[in-house]
Every structure is written in C-alpha cells, then in structure tokens.
Amino acid sequence: MKFFVDTADIADIKDLASTGLLDGVTTNPSLIAKSGRNFLEVVEEICGIVEGPVSAEVTALDVDTMLAEGRKLAKLAKNIAVKVPLTWDGLKACKVLTGEGTMVNVTLCFSANQALLAAKAGATFISPFIGRLDDINLDGMELIHEIRTIYDNYDYATQILAASIRTANHVKEVAMLGADVATVPPAVLRSLVNHPLTDKGLEQFLADWKKTGQKIL
Ligand code: E4P
C-alpha cells in the first residue's frame, strides 16, 4: 500500500519524505487555509519535494471553470493530481482531464455508487472519506470493502485512496481491505512505528550490550 501524507505543511512533508517511505501528498482547501500560504506557491513547492502524486483541489463548481482551474494546476508540475469533487460537473471534468493525460483524484466520496461513477469517468484515484462517515456513525471500512469488490469485479484501474484517516487502526484496516493508498495526517503516519514492546525490548538489548563492554565501530 502506498502512503500519502495529508497536509500542506512543508516541514512535515520534508521530514516524512526523508524516510523514503512517502509516496505522495494530498491537500485540500482547508489544509491550504491552515498553512497560511499562497495555494499555487505551496503546491509547486510540495511537488519539488516529493516525486509521487500531489493532489491539488479545484474550487469551482461548474465544469468549465473546473477545467480552467485544473489545467492551470496541472501546469505547475508533472506530478500534480487535480482533485475534483464528486458531483456531475466534477465527473465531467475528470473525464476531460484524464483524457488530456492529467491525473485526477475524485474527492468527497461517501458511497460505492459514487466510486463506480468515478471509475467510469477514468479517475486515477477515488477518495472515500472514512473518518467523516465514522463521525456520523456510518461504517467507513464497509465502504472501502464495497469499492474494492466493485473495482475488482470490473478490473477498474482507479486506485482506492482511503482518506479522512484519523487513527493507526484505520491505516491497518484499510490495508487489510486492499486500499491502494492511504492518505494519513503527519501525526498518525509517525505513530505507525510505535509499540511499547519495541521500546522495552530495545532498552533491554542496549543494557545487556553495555555489560559486554564491546563496540561495533
Ligand atoms: C483527503 O484527501 C482529505 O484531504 C482528507 O483526508 C480529509 O480528512 P478529514 O476528514 O480529517 O478532514
């Protein structure tokens, strides 16, 4: 499974990219607002840090303006994935932009039928929002399972990009369900390495090693 980080914070992106384990970045208008940066400038900077797809979202609601915005974003860098909302106009824009060779991430997906439409529109990525479904007591994981089944039934190439991930457990569950990508907030991504028995075991090994009086270097 690929890991994208869900942020527009440059320091976090640089730090996580230095692990060699980061496959891409997703942003949205709320994350851009949180960064306090100019949208086009920050997205271009992110594209220079990571080689993989960087999602940048259009803000228009009509297809013509979405296309104009999407084409402008796509010109920023080769690794831009234009993010469009899951509306009829968004799907139309998806079809046109993918036809032009631009990666498209269809966002704000909350049902399997929406994901089916996005695949038919040629989306590179579909972004089902798990946490926001959980917030209203619906099962985000069931949605990932449904989309995986439908995409496998028809061999759709659209990648399932599990989004709105809030916990390490969400990451494990979407991996078990076969999501292609998980986009994860920086803190949750960093937390994946943690286990108290790893810390305890390492402490014991180092204490015992010290007793030997030896050095490797
Ligand atoms: C995905 O692309 C979105 O940016 C994101 O995952 C939304 O997460 P949230 O529901 O925690 O805001």
Side-chain angles (χ1 to χ4, degrees):
M1 187 174 71
K2 292 176 204 155
F3 280 125
F4 291 178
V5 65
D6 198 29
T7 186
D9 185 297
I10 295 292
D12 274 330
I13 293 167
K14 280 187 178 163
D15 178 53
L16 290 163
S18 75
T19 64
L21 302 178
L22 190 63
D23 301 295
V25 176
T26 51
T27 67
N28 63 37
S30 307
L31 293 170
I32 296 296
K34 194 174 163 197
S35 79
R37 297 270 314 267
N38 173 276
F39 178 36
L40 300 181
E41 281 175 18
V42 76
V43 165
E44 199 170 8
E45 190 174 344
I46 295 169
C47 287
I49 299 167
V50 295
E51 284 180 19
V54 174
S55 289
E57 189 161 341
V58 300
T59 53
L61 296 177
D62 66 285
V63 63
D64 289 337
T65 319
M66 275 186 198
L67 286 172
E69 290 182 353
R71 286 173 182 140
K72 182 168 180 176
L73 292 170
K75 276 195 193 125
L76 290 176
K78 276 190 283 188
N79 51 339
I80 286 281
V82 173
K83 224 173 174 186
V84 299
L86 219 155
T87 60
W88 285 116
D89 282 65
L91 293 169
K92 286 185 211 168
C94 174
K95 185 90 184 160
V96 174
L97 290 168
T98 53
E100 293 172 358
T102 297
M103 289 187 285
V104 178
N105 175 357
V106 180
T107 189
L108 291 168
C109 171
F110 294 96
S111 80
N113 281 333
Q114 289 180 321
L116 179 55
L117 290 172
K120 285 185 72 68
T124 316
F125 302 104
I126 181 69
S127 289
F129 277 35
I130 294 164
R132 293 190 195 189
L133 282 169
D134 288 356
D135 288 345
I136 57 165
N137 291 320
L138 292 174
D139 190 348
M141 293 306 157
E142 179 60 21
L143 176 58
I144 300 292
H145 173 65
E146 289 172 353
I147 300 172
R148 183 73 281 158
T149 303
I150 291 168
Y151 282 10
D152 289 350
N153 281 348
Y154 299 100
D155 279 336
Y156 284 123
T158 300
Q159 296 179 52
I160 302 173
L161 197 176
S164 189
I165 282 181
R166 307 273 171 78
T167 65
N169 218 31
H170 276 163
V171 177
K172 180 188 77 178
E173 288 186 50
V174 300
M176 288 177 67
L177 291 169
D180 300 286
V181 191
T183 189
V184 187
V188 176
L189 195 43
R190 288 194 181 96
S191 78
L192 299 184
V193 78
N194 296 339
H195 198 287
L197 290 180
T198 303
D199 298 341
K200 192 177 169 200
L202 186 58
E203 198 180 317
Q204 181 68 58
F205 285 155
L206 291 181
D208 290 341
W209 177 246
K210 203 171 175 188
K211 285 183 212 156
T212 72
Q214 298 181 54
K215 284 192 173 163
I216 298 174
L217 294 175

